[in-house]
């Protein structure tokens, strides 16, 4: 194994730190929880049979002092920003019922997420292809009809193509 240092910025239960000890690696654990030191020490002592030697609490350097910022309070990743909302195209906006009827005419009574066909259009729900949370617009060009299970799986996380990939992976598509 290499001699790198393992960093666990959420060290609460000490699982990563125990593995680092088992691999004879140096480690740094960070957590906001007041009692984290006691939890880490108890967990490491409990796991000591699997470790390369006995670990004593005094071997752990602990501080509750916040580090001093040296970045002039600049954003660490200025290019990682929330997607900009795209304005809807000009012209008359379709109502929800109009969008629903339009998509039924275009795609039929079929879920666009799993390709399942229904004998009643009430099994289909109007949803966004690209979620509004990711900058998707509330326009017919960004609307799809999904069955309830697909709509729940897609949530506000997946796009339609992501949903279809997930359905294929799970074996839900023909």
């Amino acid at each position: 194994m290499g001699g790198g240092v393992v960093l666990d910025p959420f060290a609460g239960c000490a699982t990563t730190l125990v593995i680092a000890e088992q691999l004879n690696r140096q480690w740094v654990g960070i957590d906001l929880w007041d009692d984290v030191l006691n939890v880490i020490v108890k967990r490491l002592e409990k796991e000591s049979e699997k470790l390369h030697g006995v670990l004593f609490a005094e071997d752990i350097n602990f501080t509750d002092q916040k580090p001093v910022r040296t970045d002039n309070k600049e954003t660490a990743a200025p290019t990682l920003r929330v997607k900009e909302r795209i304005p809807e195209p000009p012209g008359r906006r379709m109502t929800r019922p109009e969008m629903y009827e339009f998509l039924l005419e275009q795609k039929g009574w079929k879920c666009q997420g799993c390709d399942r066909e229904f004998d009643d259009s009430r099994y289909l729900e109007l949803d966004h292809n690209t979620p509004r949370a990711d900058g998707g617009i509330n326009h017919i060009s960004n609307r799809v009809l999904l069955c309830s299970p697909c709509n729940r799986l897609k949530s506000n996380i997946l796009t339609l193509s992501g949903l279809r990939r997930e359905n294929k992976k799970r074996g839900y598509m023909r």
Side-chain angles (χ1 to χ4, degrees):
M1 284 284 150
V5 177
V6 175
L7 170 65
D8 184 0
F10 308 100
C13 294
T15 302
T16 301
L17 309 181
V18 167
I19 300 300
E21 277 292 321
Q22 289 173 356
L23 296 173
N24 202 19
R25 303 279 292 272
Q26 292 182 6
W27 52 263
V28 175
I30 303 169
D31 209 299
L32 295 173
W33 186 29
D34 291 337
D35 199 37
V36 72
L37 178 62
N38 292 329
V39 171
I40 290 172
V41 168
K42 285 179 185 173
R43 178 77 189 277
L44 289 170
E45 287 173 351
K46 177 182 168 195
E47 302 287 339
S48 64
E49 316 81 58
K50 298 176 191 170
L51 301 177
H52 52 86
V54 179
L55 183 78
F56 298 100
E58 55 268 13
D59 292 337
I60 299 174
N61 295 318
F62 173 79
T63 181
D64 59 359
Q65 301 299 309
K66 292 181 181 176
V68 176
R69 289 188 74 153
T70 59
D71 61 358
N72 296 327
K73 297 187 178 181
E74 292 178 20
T75 304
T79 59
L80 300 176
R81 300 190 193 282
V82 176
K83 291 185 180 178
E84 187 175 324
R85 289 231 182 258
I86 299 168
E88 293 187 24
R92 188 180 87 68
R93 291 182 61 187
M94 293 175 84
T95 64
R96 286 182 58 86
E98 288 173 332
M99 285 187 216
Y100 192 86
E101 287 303 317
F102 178 83
L103 291 171
L104 282 176
E105 288 173 17
Q106 296 293 310
K107 305 292 183 180
W109 292 359
K110 182 164 98 173
C111 173
Q112 294 173 28
C114 65
D115 291 336
R116 182 175 173 198
E117 293 192 35
F118 293 92
D119 58 0
D120 190 330
S121 65
R122 291 178 291 181
Y123 290 111
L124 296 170
E125 302 171 0
L126 188 62
D127 194 25
H128 296 91
N129 177 2
T130 301
R132 302 259 309 155
D134 285 342
I137 60 175
N138 197 23
H139 186 266
I140 189 65
S141 63
N142 188 43
R143 292 307 204 115
V144 294
L145 291 176
L146 301 175
C147 64
S148 186
C150 282
N151 200 2
R152 282 193 310 273
L153 177 62
K154 181 182 165 297
S155 184
N156 65 341
I157 299 168
L158 299 174
T159 61
L160 180 60
S161 59
L163 171 66
R164 291 181 65 81
R165 274 192 303 276
E166 187 64 26
N167 277 337
K168 283 180 185 172
K169 196 181 339 176
R170 294 179 181 207
Y172 295 161
M173 293 184 68
R174 300 176 198 161

